[in-house]
Amino acid sequence: DSGVTQTPKHLITATGQRVTLRCSPRSGDLSVYWYQQSLDQGLQFLIQYYNGEERAKGNILERFSAQQFPDLHSELNLSSLELGDSALYFCASSVGGTDHQETQYFGPGTRLLVL
Amino acid sequence: QQQVKQSPQSLIVQKGGISIINCAYENTAFDYFPWYQQFPGKGPALLIAIRPDVSEKKEGRFTISFNKSAKQFSLHIMDSQPGDSATYFCAASRLDDKIIFGKGTRLHILP
């Protein structure tokens, strides 16, 4: 168990809808990273937050947004969902925020299915 | 230039054998090369990592071999066990930049 929690575990929704994925980092970790894992694209970095501030952006679509709250949990919002958004979404956390090379601890993921 | 190419896509090895997974990269600015292990229903977990100033790093039955001139690195799992059956991802990054992952290798160890 990595200490990172994600809810929900599974999510089924329809095209055009909006969903929110939630992540709680390990105790003491200030950084939260979001990743998307799909069969064709593999594991791709979406966005990083450090102590409430956006720190780095990857291949995140404009329809997607994230935030990190004062208690350090994070939410990833996916809107105007398309079939191609079906994937596993992982959250990871690390202690610091300036170095992606610091060990990141991954949560168990949220499996999103868009019908 | 940002890609990390991983092979094979899947691998079947007999118990006790050596599992070898290979990765190649283009960006010579990469200076950190981790390997992640992912079991079904779980998130990836860091297994072992290497920096380009060494050619090999060993942790228990897991060894990374690194060839800087060829821009290749590989994971060797010695005395492979059924419990090693998982998906393995190689990755690379440069300081202050995101980690780029390979597409993964699904490893199955036959009992």
Side-chain angles (χ1 to χ4, degrees), chain A residues 2-3 10 12-13 20 23 28 35 38 41 43 45-46 52 54 69 71 76 83-84 86 93 96 103 107 112:
Chain A
S2 67
H10 302 277
I12 302 175
T13 188
T20 298
C23 168
Y35 290 88
S38 61
Q41 294 294 324
L43 196 60
F45 168 70
L46 295 178
E54 182 184 304
F69 294 86
D71 67 352
L76 179 67
L83 296 177
S86 296
S93 73
T103 299
L112 173 66

Side-chain angles (χ1 to χ4, degrees), chain A residues 7 9 16 22-23 33 46 48 56 60-61 79 90 93 99-101 106 112 114:
Chain A
T7 57
K9 204 166 184 176
R22 184 189 165 104
C23 168
Y33 307 78
L46 295 178
Q48 177 204 0
I60 189 165
L61 299 172
S79 61
F90 287 105
S93 73
D99 184 2
H100 285 239
Q101 297 177 0
F106 282 76
L112 173 66
V114 182

Side-chain angles (χ1 to χ4, degrees), chain A residues 7 15-16 27 32 44-45 55 79 82-84 94 101 105-106:
Chain A
T7 57
T15 54
S27 176
V32 169
Q44 298 224 319
F45 168 70
R55 179 58 65 99
S79 61
E82 301 175 0
L83 296 177
S94 68
Q101 297 177 0
Y105 296 87
F106 282 76

Side-chain angles (χ1 to χ4, degrees), chain A:
Chain A
D1 185 6
S2 67
V4 178
T5 60
Q6 288 187 248
T7 57
K9 204 166 184 176
H10 302 277
L11 201 47
I12 302 175
T13 188
T15 54
Q17 294 298 304
R18 172 190 166 96
V19 297
T20 298
L21 313 184
R22 184 189 165 104
C23 168
S24 292
R26 291 187 327 153
S27 176
D29 284 0
L30 299 179
S31 266
V32 169
Y33 307 78
W34 285 98
Y35 290 88
Q36 181 191 58
Q37 185 176 40
S38 61
L39 280 174
D40 55 342
Q41 294 294 324
L43 196 60
Q44 298 224 319
F45 168 70
L46 295 178
I47 197 164
Q48 177 204 0
Y49 275 80
Y50 172 72
N51 206 19
E53 304 273 333
E54 182 184 304
R55 179 58 65 99
K57 227 168 181 175
N59 303 322
I60 189 165
L61 299 172
E62 282 193 15
R63 301 183 285 109
F64 296 0
S65 64
Q67 53 184 327
Q68 186 178 29
F69 294 86
D71 67 352
L72 301 177
H73 91 271
S74 177
E75 292 181 355
L76 179 67
N77 300 296
L78 315 176
S79 61
S80 303
L81 284 167
E82 301 175 0
L83 296 177
D85 298 327
S86 296
L88 264 170
Y89 291 84
F90 287 105
C91 159
S93 73
S94 68
V95 174
T98 58
D99 184 2
H100 285 239
Q101 297 177 0
E102 192 176 47
T103 299
Q104 296 180 28
Y105 296 87
F106 282 76
T110 293
R111 185 174 291 278
L112 173 66
L113 180 60
V114 182
L115 298 175

